[in-house]
Amino acid sequence: MPAFTKPPKSHLMTYRIGRGEQGVLTYEPYKSYLLPHWRFRTVPIAQASSETLWNKFLEFYEQNDFVGMDMARKFIQMGMTRSKRYANYKGGRKYVDGRGKGNMIEKSKGHDGEKEKEKASGIFKEVWERCRHHQGYQEMKKEFLRVQKEWLKTEGRVKPEDQEVERMPKKRNNSRIKVEDANETGVALQGRDSRSNLTERASLS
């Protein structure tokens, strides 16, 4: 795979941290660079994939590239939530219409691959926790948001949605499951995108 070329600042400033995995399958060139490393079909594959993405996370840190770090974190988080969804639902379908809205399908038990996907989710979750608590990541996140805010003001591009970058997702009061485990952040959002379904099938190959 060719070496990654960091985009110019004008492009990086368009990045949004967002909620969960939001934007993971749309923000280029990071998406195309990291996507080939994202797999979760079996436990060994999930182990190799999560460690590769973790190494990419660290490489971006050494290159002082916060956007790359956060995109690697999003792919790792998506490995956790997608695996969890396949552990909870036979065939990985959470909604009747296959999209991130409408009537939910009842969780299944004892289906083929349930235990393996549960283990795969745990593997990604451990690496995701590493990303979240990485001191350099936390410091670079604050600096990125500060620089982005100033850049948007200078460029005259401040919009209401630009002020939403630092907000954390709200937990639903009627949920008894953690947001990341319930797959309510990025996966539900990505489920509305047909490209997500094609990408997910590739990760299971």
Side-chain angles (χ1 to χ4, degrees):
M1 180 176 290
F4 182 80
T5 301
K6 185 177 180 179
K9 183 177 180 179
S10 58
H11 181 71
L12 294 173
M13 291 297 101
T14 66
Y15 181 72
R16 295 294 179 269
I17 296 172
R19 298 181 178 184
E21 306 132 35
Q22 197 170 11
V24 69
L25 295 178
T26 58
Y27 196 78
E28 296 286 9
Y30 296 91
K31 172 250 185 177
S32 293
Y33 179 69
L34 294 169
L35 181 60
H37 304 295
W38 181 67
R39 295 288 186 273
F40 60 90
R41 183 166 58 87
T42 66
V43 169
I45 288 175
Q47 185 72 58
S49 175
S50 62
E51 285 303 316
T52 297
L53 290 169
W54 167 248
N55 287 331
K56 295 298 180 185
F57 177 91
L58 296 178
E59 287 176 13
F60 283 123
Y61 173 62
E62 293 298 324
Q63 296 164 9
N64 196 34
D65 186 346
F66 169 75
V67 175
M69 292 181 76
D70 199 51
M71 283 291 288
R73 185 272 305 169
K74 287 181 179 181
F75 269 102
I76 291 167
Q77 183 171 350
M78 187 164 64
M80 173 186 73
T81 55
R82 291 293 171 94
S83 298
K84 186 70 174 180
R85 193 177 73 186
Y86 275 83
N88 289 337
Y89 302 93
K90 182 179 180 179
R93 288 188 60 183
K94 186 176 180 180
Y95 296 90
V96 174
D97 61 0
R99 297 176 179 272
K101 58 182 178 180
N103 296 324
M104 291 181 64
I105 297 173
E106 185 177 351
K107 290 184 179 181
S108 55
K109 291 287 185 180
H111 56 273
D112 186 40
E114 176 190 6
K115 292 183 179 179
E116 184 148 42
K117 291 300 189 295
E118 187 72 41
K119 290 179 181 178
S121 179
I123 289 169
F124 275 103
K125 184 174 183 179
E126 190 277 327
V127 180
W128 174 66
E129 292 287 357
R130 281 189 236 163
C131 295
R132 290 180 62 217
H133 298 293
H134 188 277
Q135 185 175 356
Y137 170 78
Q138 294 296 337
E139 293 173 353
M140 289 172 67
K141 179 179 180 180
K142 292 179 181 178
E143 179 63 11
F144 174 81
L145 290 170
R146 184 192 68 78
V147 172
Q148 185 182 57
K149 184 176 181 180
E150 291 302 315
W151 187 86
L152 289 169
K153 286 182 179 179
T154 302
E155 295 296 314
R157 299 183 184 182
V158 177
K159 299 177 182 179
E161 58 266 29
D162 293 326
Q163 306 305 322
E164 301 295 320
V165 176
E166 293 185 74
R167 291 188 180 182
M168 296 297 291
K170 295 180 180 180
K171 291 185 178 180
R172 299 192 303 180
N173 294 331
N174 62 347
S175 175
R176 297 181 180 180
I177 306 175
K178 291 182 180 179
V179 170
E180 59 268 22
D181 288 343
N183 199 17
E184 291 296 335
T185 53
V187 171
L189 292 166
Q190 296 295 349
R192 293 196 289 267
D193 189 340
S194 60
R195 287 170 298 183
S196 175
N197 296 329
L198 293 173
T199 301
E200 186 170 306
R201 285 198 290 271
S203 71
L204 288 166
S205 60

